[in-house]
Amino acid sequence: MKCSIILILAITALFFANLVFGSVDIPAGEVMRILSGNEAEKVSWTYIVIESRLPQAATALLSGMALSVSGLMLQTAFRNPLADPSIFGISSGAGLGAALVMLLLGGSVTAGSVALTGFAAVFFGAFIGAMMVMGVVFVFSLFIRNSVMLLIVGIMIGYIASSAISLLNFFATEEGVKSYLVWGLGSFGGVSLSLLPWFSVVTLIALGSSLLLIKPLNIIQLGKNYAENLGIHTAVIRNILLVITGVLTAVVTSFCGPISFIGLAVPHIARMMIRTSNHGILMPVTMLTGALIALLCNLIASMPSSGGLIPLNAITPVLGAPIVIWVIMRGR
């Protein structure tokens, strides 16, 4: 309880810091005026806070929660401390969908009388790619009962998607390769104020669904046979878990690009803080920690001294890699 209160206070402070700090210096008092509905000293400050920084901070908060809880569920269900949302190739599927739009279709998607261009086309391609890979993994999960074998299948699907992306990059134009590279570096700035409600609703529904798996995940930790004897259908729980993590990963990746290490490292940080494997405590703490880490990364990426926005995937490995190394060393 004490840990959760500290995390909530830290998240609140970091969320406000994300609204204050950036490439444009806006006083904290003016930010408070803008949030309370009053006019700021400069009209541009209102636009920056409401239209740019607020959606970006909210996206970082929700994305951190989504990726971290996905990593926690995968690590528990597959009994693998190095599992994360990208291990089943879902992130690679999103990357392949985005690559097809940017590198093969010239940045636009046309279906009958409907035409999507720019960010909308990239989002559509990334989301469809992620969901298709998730569908393939789900079909395999109906026939493969062994979790380790399913994990390997997911990794192989990810390799196939990565190979396709490499081929598309090889034959693409210089402009297309640059656009795809920028998307692949990751950013929480891909959700506009008008898109934020949709992003929030889908993410929150999936996060709420993950909370319903707390009891089954606690029982699965005790072993497959024990769980089956208590009436827990481990294969069904695993498939439901795959759908939830697939939706969370697909939504975050399609909007923000492939964000590395948050889903892998944050569950271990949460375990270190509370030292329990009870998901009734661990899952909420993991969500809060993920939100905190994502907001911290976004703040570092947009600090004035950086001279512009730093790609997220240049920051998250610095925070996440030491945690992964520690897990490997501790487990020998």
Side-chain angles (χ1 to χ4, degrees), residues 15 18-19 52-62 188 295 298:
F15 192 93
N18 273 267
L19 301 181
S52 178
R53 292 183 184 176
L54 182 60
Q56 190 168 339
T59 301
L61 186 148
L62 291 172
F188 290 130
L295 285 169
N298 189 63

Side-chain angles (χ1 to χ4, degrees), residues 147-216:
S147 295
V148 176
M149 291 299 103
L150 184 61
L151 209 61
I152 294 173
V153 168
I155 294 171
M156 293 304 104
I157 293 173
Y159 278 131
I160 294 171
S162 297
S163 297
I165 293 171
S166 298
L167 285 173
L168 289 170
N169 272 304
F170 181 78
F171 291 106
T173 62
E174 182 179 347
E175 182 181 351
V177 173
K178 183 178 179 180
S179 298
Y180 181 75
L181 178 63
V182 171
W183 177 83
L185 291 174
S187 170
F188 290 130
V191 181
S192 64
L193 187 63
S194 59
L195 291 173
L196 183 61
W198 297 99
F199 177 81
S200 302
V201 168
V202 175
T203 306
L204 289 173
I205 289 175
L207 286 172
S209 301
S210 67
L211 293 174
L212 300 177
L213 296 178
I214 287 176
K215 183 178 178 180

Side-chain angles (χ1 to χ4, degrees), residues 72 76 214 217-219 221-222 270-271 274-283:
L72 172 64
T76 301
I214 287 176
L217 287 172
N218 278 337
I219 297 175
Q221 289 183 108
L222 302 175
R271 290 189 186 97
I274 60 177
R275 299 188 179 277
T276 180
S277 57
N278 178 7
H279 283 66
I281 303 172
L282 181 59
M283 188 174 286

Side-chain angles (χ1 to χ4, degrees), residues 29-43 45-46:
E30 291 298 318
V31 172
M32 292 296 296
R33 285 176 58 83
I34 293 169
L35 294 178
S36 61
N38 297 315
E39 292 186 5
E41 183 180 323
K42 296 181 180 179
V43 177
W45 288 354
T46 302

